Amino acid sequence: MTFRIARADFSQPALRSFLQAHLDDMEHTAPPESRHALDLAGLQRPGVRLWVAEDGGAVIGTAALAPLSDGWEELKSMRTDPGRRGEGIAARLLAHALDDAWLRGAQRVSLETGSTEFFAPARRLYERHGFAVCGPFGSYRLDPNSVYMTRELV
């Protein structure tokens, strides 16, 4: 499997469509107050870093990191093209994001994901990469539709 991972070019129409499809996917997974995916503007905020996996010019995956506080970042916008799931794209994107965080001096990366069966593969991926369930962090509150996970970078 060959694809490249690069920082996002927000002017790319394929990326905008991919990110909108991510928001559309989330629409049916939880009530609005329990959906925490960043929109295009949120992903372009200062300090947010978005990577894109591309294969032949097609966007096949995304991963982002958003700062929470000094040395602590949140994983956001993890998505793999539904037709390409199971190929290891998400694992490579996650490893890339974690390496980037570590190289920049972050000590912890946390995330929020859904609690339903739809998100079970994502939770398994995060567990395989050293994330453990934790309580709500940042501005999150306890929510039965959410699972919070964290990983120390050492």
Side-chain angles (χ1 to χ4, degrees):
M1 163 185 46
T2 59
F3 61 87
R4 73 180 197 100
I5 297 174
R7 288 290 298 273
D9 174 359
F10 288 101
S11 69
Q12 183 184 29
L15 175 59
R16 291 173 176 266
S17 296
F18 190 86
L19 294 171
Q20 185 58 54
H22 179 60
L23 296 175
D24 294 347
D25 282 351
M26 298 301 101
E27 193 172 318
H28 305 287
T29 64
E33 65 274 10
S34 296
R35 295 192 304 258
H36 305 287
L38 292 178
D39 61 11
L40 188 62
L43 289 166
Q44 294 179 79
R45 286 190 331 238
V48 177
R49 302 167 66 81
L50 177 69
W51 293 273
V52 175
E54 292 181 329
D55 186 2
V59 176
I60 60 171
T62 56
L65 288 172
L68 288 170
S69 65
D70 190 36
W72 189 12
E73 300 193 1
E74 181 180 4
L75 184 69
K76 301 293 291 182
S77 298
M78 281 290 300
R79 180 174 195 263
T80 301
D81 180 314
R84 302 288 300 264
R85 291 183 180 150
E87 296 181 26
I89 297 164
R92 281 194 40 202
L93 277 164
L94 179 56
H96 187 89
L98 292 173
D99 286 347
D100 179 83
W102 183 79
L103 288 170
R104 289 181 299 101
Q107 291 113 28
R108 178 188 301 175
V109 174
S110 300
L111 63 92
E112 179 277 336
T113 191
S115 62
T116 64
E117 187 59 29
F118 178 83
F119 296 98
R123 293 191 304 269
R124 287 192 297 273
L125 170 73
Y126 301 137
E127 287 171 356
R128 283 194 308 273
H129 283 265
F131 285 84
V133 173
C134 64
F137 58 89
S139 62
Y140 292 110
R141 300 293 171 250
L142 200 56
D143 181 342
N145 295 297
S146 292
V147 173
Y148 309 97
M149 303 179 85
T150 197
R151 175 188 162 169
E152 301 293 323
L153 301 179
V154 289

